[in-house]
Amino acid sequence: MITKPGKEITWGALHVGARQVFEEAGFTQVHHPTPRRVVMRIDFGTEVVA
């Protein structure tokens, strides 16, 4: 979810996580289905470990 600084958000609304946390972990935004929701993805690469 996209959160605005200083705005109080209930934990139930953030159960999917804040966009900033995912961005800091290396995820990128791939879709923005609603004004408040985004779809994030991380690329682990194509290397297969046997």
Side-chain angles (χ1 to χ4, degrees):
M1 289 188 67
I2 300 169
T3 59
K4 295 184 180 184
K7 183 175 181 188
E8 187 173 324
I9 304 292
T10 63
W11 281 107
L14 277 178
H15 72 281
V16 295
R19 178 176 63 174
Q20 180 181 359
V21 174
F22 287 94
E23 287 174 341
E24 290 174 359
F27 285 73
T28 56
Q29 179 179 315
V30 295
H31 189 57
H32 203 294
T34 69
R36 293 185 57 201
R37 298 212 182 255
V38 295
V39 176
M40 306 293 288
R41 180 176 294 154
I42 192 166
D43 182 14
F44 291 112
T46 58
E47 183 178 329
V48 177
V49 179

